[in-house]
Amino acid sequence: MHLAYPAVLAVLLFCTGLYGVLARRNAILVLMSVELMLNAVNLNLVAFDVWLRDTLHAGQALTLFTITIAAAEIGIGLAIVLLVHRNRGTSHIDRLRDLAETDRTATDSDETTVADATDNPADSPAGDPAGRPTDTRLTRGEATA
């Protein structure tokens, strides 16, 4: 078998993965695209190891290490993506801007309206004069009758 066949397949896999990393907005699809790129590298390592007839099989050994690192990367990456999705409600990369500045005037006005509404306990919409809402559900410390 010629070296060109696995090399062309590796180039196609790598280009597909690169397109997926650059074009996708979902973090899980980006991680899958990175895996495609790593598999293309693994295919090249094994193909060149066989073509060079290395007695130590260094390409195949390096491929095993790469597969192990890729599995750990996917495990940690998927855990991070699931945590971000749980906290923010989305896993789209464009919407995950932690350091983006927010409009402080809207936040300040919301805080003042909440503080103004709770200043007078008689005006509270529900519950007792202290402003606590009345809830008929049992709490943890109460026993059922």
Side-chain angles (χ1 to χ4, degrees), residues 106-123:
T107 307
D108 290 340
S109 65
D110 290 342
E111 290 173 0
T112 56
T113 56
V114 170
D116 292 340
T118 58
D119 282 343
N120 189 359
D123 294 337

Side-chain angles (χ1 to χ4, degrees), residues 5-6 9 13 18 23 25 29-30 44 51 70 74 76 88 95 106 114 124 140 142:
Y5 298 131
L9 181 61
L13 277 175
L18 185 64
R25 299 293 175 237
L29 292 177
V30 169
N44 267 335
W51 185 64
I74 279 296
I76 292 172
R88 303 250 175 116
R95 296 181 188 161
V114 170
S124 65
R140 288 184 211 170
E142 295 177 350

Side-chain angles (χ1 to χ4, degrees), residues 28 30-35 38 68-80:
I28 295 175
V30 169
L31 286 174
M32 289 173 60
S33 299
V34 169
E35 284 295 317
L38 286 173
T68 306
I69 296 296
E73 175 255 336
I74 279 296
I76 292 172
L78 193 58
I80 291 171

Side-chain angles (χ1 to χ4, degrees), residues 59-127:
Q60 293 177 19
L62 190 57
T63 299
L64 288 176
F65 285 117
T66 307
I67 290 171
T68 306
I69 296 296
E73 175 255 336
I74 279 296
I76 292 172
L78 193 58
I80 291 171
V81 168
L82 289 176
L83 184 68
V84 166
H85 181 71
R86 183 180 301 155
N87 288 338
R88 303 250 175 116
T90 184
S91 63
H92 291 284
I93 296 173
D94 292 340
R95 296 181 188 161
L96 299 178
R97 303 210 174 167
D98 234 4
L99 300 176
E101 292 185 25
T102 58
D103 187 18
R104 293 296 298 165
T105 57
T107 307
D108 290 340
S109 65
D110 290 342
E111 290 173 0
T112 56
T113 56
V114 170
D116 292 340
T118 58
D119 282 343
N120 189 359
D123 294 337
S124 65

Side-chain angles (χ1 to χ4, degrees), residues 10-73:
V11 166
L12 290 175
L13 277 175
F14 192 84
C15 289
T16 304
L18 185 64
Y19 172 75
V21 167
L22 296 176
R24 299 291 179 183
R25 299 293 175 237
N26 192 347
I28 295 175
L29 292 177
V30 169
L31 286 174
M32 289 173 60
S33 299
V34 169
E35 284 295 317
L36 274 177
M37 293 168 64
L38 286 173
N39 286 331
V41 170
N42 288 339
L43 182 61
N44 267 335
L45 284 171
V46 171
F48 276 99
D49 184 50
V50 169
W51 185 64
L52 293 173
R53 298 179 189 186
D54 187 16
T55 57
L56 294 175
H57 300 293
Q60 293 177 19
L62 190 57
T63 299
L64 288 176
F65 285 117
T66 307
I67 290 171
T68 306
I69 296 296
E73 175 255 336

